Amino acid sequence: MAAVLEWAGDEEGVPVQAFARPSKSRSRRSQPGELPPEVESALWRGTDMGTQIGAVVSSGFSDLDRELPGGGWPCQALTEVLSPQPSVLEWRLIGPALKKVVAAGGSVVVIGPPKKPHLPGLHHAGIDEKHLVWVQAEAPAERLWCTEQLVKANACGALVSWLPQARPEQVRRLQVCAQACEGPVFLFRPAAAQHESSAAPLRVMATFGLDWELQVHVFKRRGPVHDGLIHLASVPGGLASVLTPRLLQPSRLLSTREVAANVVGGTVAPVRPRRHATAP
C-alpha cells in the first residue's frame, strides 16, 4: 500500500519527511473468513429475496406482491410480461398498478397495442382517457424507437409497449435507459421469448384459467427460484356484477355436468364418427 507523505517542521524550521498513519475508517477489523461490515450489508445472496433499489408500484394483488422484490412492479427497470396470446390479459394484470399511477397524477403511454384500447373498460379500471396517450406505431422499428425515446425523456408515469420482435441487445439498451426512468416500464412479448436471454431484471409468464383467473409464473427475479403458479382472481371489468355465481366458477359447472352424465348413463361411450357412403 502506498504511503502518504507528510511534511512537518522541526525546531530549526527545516522540513522533515514523515509517514502518515492510515485512518481507521472501520469500526472493527474483520476476522479471517469474515467480510467487512460495509461489504456484508451490500452483499446479496441468491437464496434471499432481493431488495428493490428504486421505488415500486403495487400490483394490486397481494399474492403477487409477495413474490416480487420490493413488493410491487419495479420502477427504474424493465418488466417483461410474456403471454401465449396478445391483447387478452395485459390490462387485467397491470390495470390495478396503472390505476395507482393515474391517481397520483401520472400519465400512461401505450405504444403499439395489438387492438384498440377499450375506453369503457379502462374507465371501469380507473384509467381516465385524459391520462392515456396512445401511440399508434405499426412497424417494429417504430415501436422500438418510440419506446426508447420516451424512456430516455422520462416523460410519463408508466410506459406500456408491445415489442414482440425485440432482440436481446435492444432489450439491454432499453434496460440501461430505464434506470433513469421514474415510472414502471412494461414490455409485452410472446411466450416464445422465454427461452431468449434478456437484461430485464423481472420477467413473468401470464396465462388465464377457467374461472376468470390469471395464472402468473415469475421465472426471473432478484431472488430464489419461484416454483408453481400464482392464481389471481380477476374478472374483466363490468362482468362481476352481471355474471351469476355459477358462471363466476365455470369449472364447478362443468364438473357437475360430467358427474351427472356418468351417474345417469353409467360410463359415457365415445362418439364414433359416421361413415359416409362412397360413390360407385
Side-chain angles (χ1 to χ4, degrees):
M1 182 179 67
V4 181
L5 301 179
E6 287 186 356
W7 293 90
D10 57 359
E11 296 178 356
E12 299 179 357
V14 180
V16 179
Q17 184 177 2
F19 290 93
R21 296 181 179 179
S23 60
K24 298 180 179 181
S25 58
R26 300 177 182 176
S27 58
R28 64 179 181 85
R29 298 181 62 86
S30 58
Q31 300 297 326
E34 184 181 8
L35 294 176
E38 58 272 14
V39 178
E40 182 71 22
S41 60
L43 183 64
W44 168 71
R45 295 176 173 85
T47 56
D48 302 332
M49 183 68 72
T51 57
Q52 182 63 25
I53 300 177
V56 298
V57 179
S58 175
S59 65
F61 304 97
S62 57
D63 294 341
L64 181 58
D65 287 343
R66 284 194 293 266
E67 301 296 337
L68 298 179
W73 301 117
C75 301
Q76 300 178 354
L78 295 182
T79 299
E80 277 194 47
V81 181
L82 311 184
S83 59
Q85 184 178 357
S87 189
V88 174
L89 49 81
E90 290 92 330
W91 296 106
R92 293 165 59 186
L93 180 61
I94 66 173
L98 298 182
K99 179 180 179 180
K100 298 180 182 296
V101 173
V102 172
S107 59
V108 178
V109 179
V110 181
I111 300 176
K115 295 183 180 180
K116 181 179 179 181
H118 188 244
L119 292 181
L122 295 178
H123 265 290
H124 190 275
I127 304 174
D128 192 2
E129 70 273 8
K130 298 179 181 179
H131 298 272
L132 180 67
V133 179
W134 174 23
V135 180
Q136 190 173 2
E138 302 296 339
E142 295 177 352
R143 296 181 183 182
L144 182 64
W145 185 85
C146 294
T147 303
E148 182 176 347
Q149 298 305 315
L150 288 172
V151 170
K152 287 181 178 179
N154 191 19
C156 54
L159 180 62
V160 183
S161 179
W162 277 260
L163 297 176
Q165 301 176 356
R167 298 191 301 270
E169 61 271 15
Q170 296 172 344
V171 177
R172 186 182 305 109
R173 181 182 178 87
L174 291 177
Q175 168 59 23
V176 174
C177 298
Q179 296 178 2
C181 186
E182 298 179 357
V185 180
F186 298 97
L187 300 183
F188 290 105
R189 306 189 63 199
Q194 180 181 4
H195 306 288
E196 300 177 0
S197 61
S198 175
L202 179 61
R203 305 182 75 191
V204 301
M205 175 71 71
T207 58
F208 53 89
L210 186 59
D211 292 336
W212 306 99
E213 63 179 5
L214 300 178
Q215 299 175 355
V216 180
H217 176 217
V218 184
F219 64 92
K220 181 182 179 182
R221 63 178 177 179
R222 192 179 183 185
V225 178
H226 174 256
D227 296 328
L229 297 176
I230 307 173
H231 300 272
L232 308 177
S234 174
V235 181
L239 295 181
S241 59
V242 178
L243 296 176
T244 61
R246 298 180 64 185
L247 293 179
L248 284 176
Q249 295 182 340
S251 61
R252 293 185 179 182
L253 181 61
L254 294 178
S255 61
T256 303
R257 289 183 178 180
E258 291 178 357
V259 171
N262 293 331
V263 171
V264 174
T267 58
V268 181
V271 179
R272 298 180 179 178
R274 286 187 175 182
R275 295 183 178 179
H276 299 279
T278 58

